Amino acid sequence: DGGITQSPKYLFRKEGQNVTLSCEQNLNHDAMYWYRQDPGQGLRLIYYSQIVNDFQKGDIAEGYSVSREKKESFPLTVTSAQKNPTAFYLCASSIVRSGGAKNIQYFGAGTRLSVL
Amino acid sequence: AQKITQTQPGMFVQEKEAVTLDCTYDTSDQSYGLFWYKQPSSGEMIFLIYQGSYDEQNATEGRYSLNFQKARKSANLVISASQLGDSAMYFCAMREGISGGSYIPTFGRGTSLIVHP
């Protein structure tokens, strides 16, 4: 079945530690996205990529890094510079088409990150 | 100013009844898209329905319909014949523009829907 796989489902980070969240898609989508969700909040964009080897910062990129070496994969690293990383992280993908197209985003099941 | 406003933090509905979840948006673009997503307690965001700004008819997908009132900048989600499995958070989102844009939607804060038996 086609879809987006995020792993792990739960992740714990120690002080000063970098952790990496995995996101893989087999939908053949060009664009991939990382969002952060805090309780009672909507989704806030961290990073997005519309093509391999290229990505752009979203609204809250500080303390995070990404790579896009393969079309299928868009891992997110939460660095030690991110002082408040506890949140739910969602990865999404979509086609990229202009002209008012839907460009619906499809989401993974998320990773819940907590600080020890 | 918020681009997407969902004023109802929580809603309750009896099973089998219809419910309307409110969403207003703010944009100066002529071309934009409106989306609704459902987020059950498991966390995954599930796409429900889409309305384009130039679509003349309200979008419908099974029990979901979007009440699109362009002049009022409102895009309310109507769920008919609620089911217990409809209990979830519901998010309204908007993607603006078509020229050179990144097509990244902006999400509202969501409405929690609880369906009572």
Side-chain angles (χ1 to χ4, degrees):
Chain A
D1 280 18
I4 300 173
T5 302
Q6 289 189 242
S7 62
K9 193 173 176 69
Y10 299 96
L11 188 58
F12 297 91
R13 193 191 88 167
K14 295 179 182 178
E15 287 286 337
Q17 187 182 41
N18 293 353
V19 292
T20 297
L21 285 60
S22 171
C23 178
E24 304 276 332
Q25 56 100 358
N26 59 6
L27 299 169
N28 200 31
H29 286 168
D30 286 310
M32 297 186 75
Y33 315 80
W34 274 105
Y35 289 94
R36 171 178 171 145
Q37 186 178 26
D38 293 283
Q41 304 288 320
L43 276 61
R44 292 187 289 168
L45 183 68
I46 305 173
Y47 269 99
Y48 67 98
S49 167
Q50 293 186 303
I51 195 168
V52 174
N53 293 323
D54 187 46
F55 48 83
Q56 283 76 43
K57 293 181 179 180
D59 300 320
I60 55 165
E62 186 174 347
Y64 300 96
S65 66
V66 293
S67 63
R68 187 86 187 275
E69 297 176 2
K70 298 187 300 182
K71 186 175 183 178
E72 302 80 19
S73 178
F74 192 41
L76 173 74
T77 296
V78 184
T79 75
S80 56
Q82 172 49 249
K83 297 306 179 189
N84 183 23
T86 297
F88 188 57
Y89 292 85
L90 282 159
C91 177
S93 71
S94 75
I95 60 171
V96 178
R97 201 159 60 194
S98 62
K102 292 181 182 181
N103 293 343
I104 296 165
Q105 289 181 318
Y106 294 92
F107 286 81
T111 293
R112 198 166 296 278
L113 176 62
S114 302
V115 176
L116 289 176
Chain B
Q2 283 200 353
K3 288 184 180 271
I4 294 286
T5 302
Q6 295 181 254
T7 57
Q8 307 153 313
M11 290 284 286
F12 297 86
V13 67
Q14 199 77 23
E15 193 178 8
K16 299 180 186 176
E17 292 186 348
V19 62
T20 297
L21 307 183
D22 295 342
C23 173
T24 56
Y25 59 91
D26 182 25
T27 182
S28 55
D29 284 350
Q30 296 301 308
S31 179
Y32 51 90
L34 296 155
F35 305 79
W36 276 93
Y37 284 87
K38 172 184 178 181
Q39 187 179 41
S41 57
S42 59
E44 183 177 354
M45 297 279 283
I46 302 166
F47 166 73
L48 294 177
I49 196 166
Y50 168 84
Q51 179 86 40
S53 58
Y54 292 122
D55 295 339
E56 293 187 352
Q57 293 201 325
N58 287 344
T60 60
E61 291 285 350
R63 294 185 299 110
Y64 304 107
S65 61
L66 200 152
N67 184 0
F68 181 46
Q69 297 187 41
K70 197 169 182 176
R72 295 181 60 190
K73 294 188 176 179
S74 117
N76 298 341
L77 177 71
V78 180
I79 305 175
S80 64
S82 298
Q83 301 172 356
L84 296 178
D86 293 335
S87 295
M89 285 291 293
Y90 288 81
F91 290 92
C92 179
M94 175 178 64
R95 176 189 53 75
E96 295 175 273
I98 58 170
S99 55
S102 59
Y103 316 112
I104 310 292
T106 303
F107 286 80
R109 293 195 170 199
T111 295
S112 172
L113 175 66
I114 296 176
V115 180
H116 288 300

